[in-house]
Amino acid sequence: MGRKLFLGFIGISLLGITLFGYITYQTAHQTRIEELTKSTVDNAAQLATILGGSDPDKARELLQNLQSRQQVLAYNLFIVDRQQAVIFNTLPKEMAAGLTRSLPNSSDNTGRTELGNLYLLWSRQSVPDSELTLYILRQVQKSGFIPFLKSAGIPLAIASLILLWLAFWCAMILGSLYQRLDQQRRELEYQTLHDSLTGLLNRTSLVDQTELRLQRPLSEGECIALLIIDIKRLKEINDTLGHYAGDALLRLIAERLHDVIRENDILARIVSNEFAILLDGVSEESVLAATTRIQEALSEGYEIEGHKFYLGASIGVAFYPEHALDAINLIRHGEMAMYAAKRIGTDITIYDETHKTSTLEQLKLVSDLRTDLENKNIKLYFQPKVNLESGQTVSLEALARWEHPDHGYIATSRFIHIAENTGLINQLTYWVMEQALKRSRQLQDQGKSLNIAINLSMWNLQDLELVDYLQSLIDKYRVEPSRITLEITETAMMVNHKRALHTLHRLHELGVILSIDDFGTGYSSMTYLKQLPLGEVKIDKSFIKSIHQKPSDSSMVRAIIDLAHNLGLTVVGEGVENRQIAEILRELGCDQGQGSYYADAMPFDELLGWLEN
């Protein structure tokens, strides 16, 4: 580009200076002719005056004397008498014959005659007091490009060299400016089509690229699949460690996703924690295999600022041409499928028409949950925990239940998820804690000394006011801290591990019992047994429900019980659904059982009757 600018600038400059020079030359030349014409007339008049009163011989003698003194060398002249006979002539021979005949016959006293590449400027004057007539002629070069070059060659060459130097630097400056502007244009175009954090395509570019892919014909059995991937728990990391850590995590996620897709697949980041992958020319079976690879890649741990995190993903899948015929609707339906996966708690969901209604329903549920929390329309149920050796109820787990006026009872996992994602979880937990301690006080007043268990979310452990609020409730309802069990899951430790651990130690100092729920399902179960000030372990029901059918599950449960007892912890088995499971747990040394075999969760009034029976 710099060379083109340089050559272009040189060409235009040379053409410009040449045209300007030529026009200037023509103007100057015309002016000079006019000046020389006037000078010729003046010189003719002066010479005629000098020759005044002379006869031919005397005139010839005067002119020869003047010529010898070199006073008339700039002129050519001739003199004729009354009969037009030439008595004196300085014209060259080739010019004399024609001019001495033509000029005396002219009616003009001044004129210009062309002679080859010359102009002859002439003036006629009658000699005073004499029969003689004087003709003076001056030769002038005709104007033209060749004469112009001859006349202005050296100045033009000098000007060209100066222009060459100027053109070089102007071309360098303009070339640099052009490159900078071109680079800015490319950067702006790149930013318009790419995500600035990860360098992946953005939503706009995804729409364009998807539309292009949808235009090509598909072979039989082929389809185009769009995967919308929502990264779980990213908001928690941003809120606790800051956006710098969240950004670093997003870049790692982008790298992992790039590693598991094919070269011709399209990867994009469409919003903060959502990615999209377009799989072109695939079968539905290969799409499911791809989603499995993606889930495996994303489920591996991430090391950020000395903290290790485990994330999951909800993936929505939409197929072309089955679910949409254009890019906009394909992306929209993929997002609806992803929201459905989040709502029902599955890793992968394929779009169907019911998801349109479900998305609108989800928005309404968020609003309704906020309203019902403010109006105290959430209900608290209790499920007993039974001592496996004595068969006596020793504890109650407080469980929130939400009965929606239109949809009936909403699954606990679903509305807890809504509360966590809308900032309502602390308000919900505070309400559960107060109601649970209030009922615990009632039971103690009736002579029933039962522990009360309350579930905590990962967000509750980040709440700096949690411990003080619980202390105020203990004082208000006069409940012994040792009769309160707070249940946490392993995932609660994945967000700001240090703050969560600090909160747990403060709760332990308060005197409450800490229990780890769903034990055995996470990646760091043994680590938490060592780090946390626990008093209880609840074995996940996924191990318990098949304990009477799978020897491997029985061995696993036995190992957990032995380990927990060696650490001085109470062991609770969740999901006890029949007498056989209860007997096996008792034989393995499990301390308590909880499940439908004993009782499902029930309202407090119903619980009182159950306890009496």
Side-chain angles (χ1 to χ4, degrees):
M1 186 62 201
R3 183 173 61 183
K4 291 180 180 179
L5 284 171
F6 175 67
L7 294 176
F9 190 82
I10 285 291
I12 293 173
S13 299
L14 287 177
L15 178 62
I17 196 171
T18 301
L19 289 174
F20 177 77
Y22 183 69
I23 293 171
T24 304
Y25 168 77
Q26 286 285 69
T27 304
H29 186 268
Q30 185 62 36
T31 302
R32 184 167 180 268
I33 287 176
E34 293 174 356
E35 291 175 350
L36 289 175
T37 299
K38 183 177 183 302
S39 177
T40 301
V41 172
D42 293 341
N43 290 332
Q46 292 173 2
L47 187 56
T49 301
I50 293 173
L51 296 176
S54 301
D55 58 23
D57 293 333
K58 185 177 180 181
R60 187 181 298 111
E61 181 182 356
L62 287 172
L63 289 172
Q64 287 174 348
N65 290 333
L66 289 172
Q67 189 177 21
S68 64
R69 293 199 299 269
Q70 298 182 352
Q71 294 186 10
V72 292
L73 291 180
Y75 305 117
N76 285 308
L77 61 88
F78 68 92
I79 298 176
V80 297
D81 59 15
R82 180 178 294 179
Q83 286 76 32
Q84 305 298 322
V86 178
I87 65 169
F88 187 83
N89 180 24
T90 64
L91 291 171
K93 291 182 180 181
E94 64 274 11
M95 298 169 57
L99 292 174
T100 55
R101 288 195 300 268
S102 61
L103 293 184
N105 294 326
S106 175
S107 60
D108 297 326
N109 291 323
T110 302
R112 182 173 66 183
T113 301
E114 293 187 17
L115 189 64
N117 62 344
L118 297 174
Y119 286 129
L120 288 177
L121 305 178
W122 60 271
S123 177
R124 178 170 57 194
Q125 289 287 336
S126 296
V127 178
D129 302 324
S130 174
E131 297 178 352
L132 302 178
T133 302
L134 172 68
Y135 292 86
I136 290 183
L137 301 93
R138 187 188 295 273
Q139 297 181 22
V140 180
Q141 185 77 37
K142 279 186 178 181
S143 64
F145 194 71
I146 299 300
F148 162 68
L149 290 179
K150 290 180 179 179
S151 173
I154 294 177
L156 186 62
I158 295 173
S160 298
L161 289 175
I162 294 173
L163 277 175
L164 183 65
W165 183 79
L166 291 175
F168 173 77
W169 287 107
C170 287
M172 292 290 290
I173 294 171
L174 290 175
S176 175
L177 179 61
Y178 175 84
Q179 289 178 351
R180 189 178 305 169
L181 292 175
D182 187 59
Q183 182 179 357
Q184 290 176 352
R185 178 190 60 79
R186 289 196 303 268
E187 289 176 354
L188 181 61
E189 182 179 347
Y190 182 87
Q191 292 170 4
T192 303
L193 298 175
H194 292 77
D195 171 52
S196 59
L197 177 63
T198 62
L200 300 178
L201 299 180
N202 60 16
R203 190 184 193 94
T204 300
S205 189
L206 175 66
V207 172
D208 295 340
Q209 293 295 320
T210 301
E211 204 64 65
L212 288 175
R213 297 292 181 94
L214 298 187
Q215 293 175 5
R216 81 169 185 87
L218 295 174
S219 303
E220 185 177 354
E222 278 189 338
C223 68
I224 295 176
L226 183 70
L227 280 56
I228 304 295
I229 305 167
D230 178 86
I231 306 301
K232 299 177 181 177
R233 293 187 291 277
L234 186 63
K235 183 178 182 299
E236 295 92 317
I237 294 171
N238 280 332
D239 291 345
T240 53
L241 293 183
H243 286 279
Y244 178 81
D247 290 347
L249 191 56
L250 282 169
R251 285 190 285 267
L252 291 176
I253 292 169
E255 291 176 4
R256 291 193 184 181
L257 290 175
H258 185 271
D259 291 340
V260 298
I261 63 175
R262 302 171 303 172
E263 186 175 350
N264 67 324
D265 294 334
I266 295 174
L267 174 61
R269 180 182 176 221
I270 52 178
V271 290
S272 59
N273 66 327
E274 290 182 17
F275 294 81
I277 296 177
L278 188 74
L279 305 176
D280 190 3
V282 293
S283 64
E284 293 191 11
E285 292 77 11
S286 63
V287 172
L288 296 178
T291 56
T292 301
R293 292 196 304 272
I294 291 169
Q295 287 285 8
E296 290 174 351
L298 295 177
S299 64
E300 297 178 6
Y302 300 84
E303 188 78 26
I304 300 291
E305 297 183 0
H307 303 280
K308 195 160 188 177
F309 302 96
Y310 294 94
L311 305 178
S314 298
I315 302 178
V317 183
F319 292 105
Y320 167 85
E322 181 180 352
H323 299 140
L325 298 177
D326 62 84
I328 295 294
N329 282 309
L330 189 66
I331 295 172
R332 180 183 295 120
H333 292 169
E335 289 177 327
M336 288 181 180
M338 179 270 292
Y339 292 135
K342 292 176 64 176
R343 186 167 54 251
I344 62 181
T346 60
D347 291 337
I348 303 166
T349 299
I350 297 175
Y351 173 79
D352 64 55
E353 286 296 323
T354 62
H355 293 155
K356 289 184 179 179
T357 305
S358 299
T359 303
L360 295 174
E361 177 186 307
Q362 180 78 358
L363 293 174
K364 189 173 185 305
L365 284 178
V366 171
S367 175
D368 292 344
L369 177 59
R370 187 182 301 275
T371 301
D372 283 354
L373 268 175
E374 292 173 354
N375 296 333
K376 313 298 183 185
N377 290 335
I378 305 298
K379 298 179 180 180
L380 195 64
Y381 279 41
F382 297 87
Q383 185 174 30
K385 296 180 184 179
V386 176
N387 184 296
L388 290 174
E389 195 65 43
S390 65
Q392 297 296 312
T393 301
V394 292
S395 181
L396 302 170
E397 181 176 0
L399 300 166
R401 293 291 184 265
W402 182 25
E403 185 176 7
H404 193 275
D406 297 327
H407 304 290
Y409 281 100
I410 306 297
T412 304
S413 60
R414 184 178 181 185
F415 81 80
I416 293 296
H417 178 76
I418 293 173
E420 288 182 329
N421 284 279
T422 54
L424 298 174
I425 190 63
N426 285 342
Q427 183 180 347
L428 175 62
T429 301
Y430 283 8
W431 178 83
V432 170
M433 289 170 61
E434 177 157 17
Q435 294 302 310
L437 267 64
K438 179 180 179 181
R439 297 304 186 186
S440 177
R441 178 72 262 165
Q442 288 182 245
L443 290 172
Q444 289 183 50
D445 291 343
Q446 295 177 17
K448 299 178 176 65
S449 299
L450 300 175
N451 286 7
I452 198 80
I454 302 167
N455 290 281
L456 295 183
S457 162
M458 67 180 78
W459 292 112
N460 299 136
L461 297 184
Q462 307 302 317
D463 181 10
L464 300 178
E465 299 178 1
L466 175 70
V467 178
D468 293 336
Y469 182 76
L470 180 57
Q471 178 67 69
S472 68
L473 293 179
I474 291 173
D475 296 339
K476 178 179 179 179
Y477 294 106
R478 296 175 287 110
V479 177
E480 287 294 327
S482 60
R483 294 196 174 277
I484 302 171
T485 300
L486 299 179
E487 298 184 5
I488 61 170
T489 60
E490 295 177 44
T491 56
M493 300 300 298
M494 292 183 180
V495 179
N496 199 339
H497 180 85
K498 291 182 178 179
R499 180 183 291 182
L501 191 60
H502 175 71
T503 301
L504 289 173
H505 278 288
R506 287 188 63 200
L507 290 170
H508 176 68
E509 292 170 0
L510 201 62
V512 302
I513 299 171
L514 298 178
S515 173
I516 187 164
D517 200 3
D518 302 329
F519 185 81
T521 58
Y523 293 91
S524 307
S525 300
M526 299 306 171
T527 302
Y528 293 146
L529 287 181
K530 178 181 178 181
Q531 290 183 343
L532 304 182
L534 300 173
E536 179 183 279
V537 168
K538 293 185 72 174
I539 303 175
D540 187 70
K541 60 184 176 183
S542 62
F543 297 105
I544 302 298
K545 65 181 181 180
S546 57
I547 194 173
H548 58 301
Q549 298 172 335
K550 296 182 180 179
S552 59
D553 284 353
S554 178
S555 300
M556 180 70 73
V557 171
R558 181 190 297 275
I560 293 173
I561 292 172
D562 291 343
L563 175 63
H565 283 166
N566 288 334
L567 294 174
L569 306 178
T570 300
V571 181
V572 180
E574 293 185 280
V576 180
E577 298 177 354
N578 55 57
R579 183 181 183 86
Q580 186 179 4
I581 293 176
E583 285 298 324
I584 293 174
L585 285 174
R586 186 183 63 78
E587 292 172 1
L588 293 176
C590 186
D591 300 302
Q592 299 174 18
Q594 179 181 1
S596 58
Y597 171 64
Y598 302 108
D600 290 322
M602 64 192 83
F604 185 73
D605 293 339
E606 187 177 330
L607 172 70
L608 293 177
W610 185 87
L611 290 173
E612 292 296 331
N613 294 329

